[in-house]
Amino acid sequence: MPAINLTPDIFWIGVNDRTTDLFEGIWPISKEGVSYNAYLVRDKKTALVDLAKSIKSDSFFDQIDQVCKVTDIDYVVINHMEPDHTGLINILRKLSPNCTILTTPKAKKMLADYYQVTENIQEVADGEEISLGKKTLQFFHVPFVHWPETMVTYEKSTQVLFSCDAFGGYGAFHGTIFDDECRELEFYKNEALRYFVNIIAKFTTPVLKAIDKLKDLPIKIIAPSHGLVFRKDPGLIVDLYRKWAEYAGQPGEKAVTLVYGSMYGNTETMMNAIAQGIANEGLPVHIFDAARTHVSYILPSLWTNAGVMLGAPTYEAKLFPPITQVLDMAVTKMIRNKTAAMFGSFGWSGGALGEIRRIVEPAKWNLDMTMEFQGGATAEDLKKGVAFGSEFARKIKKGDA
Ligand code: FEO
């Protein structure tokens, strides 16, 4: 993609990544893609805000050439050290050795640790301003959005907030970088939620603190380092991030995430009966086969819904491994205070349900409804399954914790 104007003197440059299969080596993006957005701010002095992952570097530096010589860059702002935003730093330093890196004190040490970069680094304090001429960059430290060294950068005259990971999302660009030109806003909202829960969810308190810290800034454009640039409605993505972060302290929506695994279809047969019981009560139920769905896609539903129904067979006296993986990640991502129930088939002795209890104990899930059956479910078992689903749905509707 060529460089794109956000304002007459501020340009998007970056990498529209459609080839990486796993973001952070974990999260699938092969269908959705992702962008690493950087921004060139031109004035008497020129600043490059953030860089990109170390792929497609020719294209990245060609984009800079469309705007200015790389040796014209006076400052490179490192808002965040994760290599999806800094991977090109050593190439930039070779091409433009005299540019000064502006970053937080914590990031200065990380630059040495990750890239052995130790020179031409200027630490910026929280709230500090640096003039580029008519434009002024102001820096706000926002620790743990997403790493401890993270900051955001605000350009005062144009009221553009370069927010780095904050307000970002998965999803490569489909021909436009702007919210008002995008015809697939729902796709980007869904991918922003998946990104939020996969990457940021553990840090909801810092996210809410950062939103509060920035609330009095007049903001015309939110320019994150992943995903759409919001210039028509910058408040939209801020409100979504606030809402998603607030789920951490609330039960969530009155809906059920049903995650199950099944070896030979016995637990799946019961799953359908239980889902019927939930639906009979008029509650939405979002169903995931844990063995066939990457946890990345299950986490957003777990994050947002109040109810969790877990179905798993006993596997070699333990929990069916795909369910173990989902629950371990849910606990890692601090998905807490859910109202849950569990069911499953066993062959000769149980074991799965006890292990579910053990895994989710640190996340303080309320888990007092269980139903186990031996081998295949009988017609009588399935009737009980429908009733079990309905009883759980009523509990969620009432808001019982
Ligand atoms: Fe997009 Fe935390 O890096």
Side-chain angles (χ1 to χ4, degrees):
M1 288 169 75
I4 296 168
N5 287 85
L6 267 66
T7 71
D9 296 311
I10 299 179
F11 300 82
W12 172 90
I13 60 170
V15 175
N16 199 32
D17 182 0
R18 292 178 171 277
T19 51
T20 296
D21 57 348
L22 295 173
F23 189 81
E24 287 190 339
I26 307 176
W27 312 108
I29 52 166
S30 53
K31 287 194 308 248
E32 301 85 359
V34 71
S35 65
Y36 315 107
N37 306 333
Y39 301 93
L40 266 173
V41 183
R42 296 279 281 156
D43 203 326
K44 281 186 187 150
K45 296 204 165 184
T46 294
L48 173 61
V49 181
D50 291 318
L51 290 151
K53 189 177 167 181
S54 60
I55 59 170
K56 302 185 193 298
S57 52
D58 287 356
S59 158
F60 186 87
F61 287 101
D62 283 349
Q63 289 171 325
I64 292 178
D65 279 343
Q66 291 161 17
V67 179
C68 64
K69 290 185 199 148
V70 70
T71 48
D72 290 344
I73 296 172
D74 300 283
Y75 298 115
V76 56
V77 176
I78 301 284
N79 278 322
H80 172 31
M81 272 298 301
E82 195 163 3
D84 53 332
H85 309 292
T86 53
L88 296 175
I89 187 71
N90 271 323
I91 301 178
L92 179 76
R93 293 301 288 257
K94 283 190 180 119
L95 295 172
S96 185
N98 296 322
C99 72
T100 300
I101 293 174
L102 303 175
T103 197
T104 60
K106 281 189 179 143
K108 185 175 179 184
K109 178 176 182 311
M110 288 182 167
L111 277 164
D113 294 341
Y114 276 81
Y115 299 107
Q116 296 74 55
V117 171
T118 54
E119 293 179 355
N120 287 354
I121 302 172
Q122 182 177 332
E123 294 178 5
V124 291
D126 187 24
E128 185 172 338
E129 299 181 5
I130 287 192
S131 172
L132 303 179
K134 290 180 182 161
K135 293 186 175 54
T136 302
L137 299 181
Q138 188 172 18
F139 309 98
F140 296 96
H141 294 190
V142 290
F144 289 105
V145 189
H146 155 221
W147 283 5
E149 86 303 354
T150 310
M151 66 177 188
V152 297
T153 299
Y154 178 66
E155 200 296 294
K156 294 179 79 168
S157 69
T158 51
Q159 300 179 347
V160 178
L161 180 70
F162 303 105
S163 60
C164 202
D165 277 354
F167 314 128
Y170 299 134
F173 295 125
H174 300 179
T176 180
I177 67 168
F178 295 114
D179 60 340
D180 54 305
E181 293 176 351
C182 163
R183 299 288 172 267
E184 295 152 297
L185 200 54
E186 284 308 306
F187 164 79
Y188 289 102
K189 282 161 72 174
N190 288 336
E191 287 305 308
L193 172 60
R194 188 165 69 95
Y195 170 87
F196 175 88
V197 182
N198 291 180
I199 310 297
I200 309 284
K202 192 159 190 144
F203 309 106
T204 52
T205 301
V207 167
L208 291 170
K209 271 190 191 164
I211 290 173
D212 189 55
K213 181 173 188 166
L214 302 171
K215 70 178 188 305
D216 294 327
L217 281 184
I219 296 173
K220 283 194 179 142
I221 299 177
I222 287 195
S225 290
H226 302 292
L228 289 179
V229 171
F230 289 83
R231 67 178 179 185
K232 178 185 170 205
D233 188 3
L236 173 74
I237 193 68
V238 177
D239 289 345
L240 284 173
Y241 258 66
R242 183 188 292 108
K243 176 177 151 186
W244 296 335
E246 285 174 346
Y247 278 129
Q250 299 170 356
E253 305 293 330
K254 291 193 187 299
V256 175
T257 303
L258 196 169
V259 186
Y260 77 100
S262 190
M263 295 164 67
Y264 291 103
N266 292 313
T267 299
E268 183 183 20
T269 299
M270 182 58 78
M271 178 279 291
N272 281 313
I274 289 173
Q276 188 184 342
I278 297 169
N280 284 348
E281 290 295 321
L283 219 59
V285 53
H286 307 139
I287 300 173
F288 299 92
D289 178 342
R292 294 178 175 82
T293 311
H294 194 286
V295 65
S296 170
Y297 298 94
I298 302 173
L299 290 174
S301 181
L302 289 172
W303 184 264
T304 52
N305 288 341
V308 181
M309 177 65 74
L310 298 165
T314 292
Y315 182 88
E316 298 178 357
K318 299 191 80 176
L319 177 60
F320 191 52
I323 298 291
T324 308
Q325 191 194 13
V326 170
L327 295 179
D328 279 342
M329 190 58 88
V331 172
T332 297
K333 294 296 169 186
M334 310 275 272
I335 296 180
R336 291 173 160 250
N337 303 316
K338 297 295 170 183
T339 298
M342 53 194 181
F343 66 95
S345 166
F346 64 93
W348 57 96
S349 69
L353 302 193
E355 203 176 345
I356 289 178
R357 278 190 199 288
R358 181 185 60 74
I359 295 171
V360 302
E361 199 278 329
K364 303 196 184 322
W365 290 14
N366 176 330
L367 214 172
D368 58 12
M369 286 181 64
T370 64
M371 191 175 73
E372 276 190 295
F373 56 98
Q374 193 155 8
T378 63
E380 194 55 35
D381 288 333
L382 293 176
K383 267 194 208 165
K384 285 183 192 163
V386 174
F388 184 77
S390 294
E391 184 187 345
F392 184 66
R394 287 194 294 275
K395 188 171 173 171
I396 298 300
K397 282 200 292 188
K398 267 174 65 187
D400 290 353

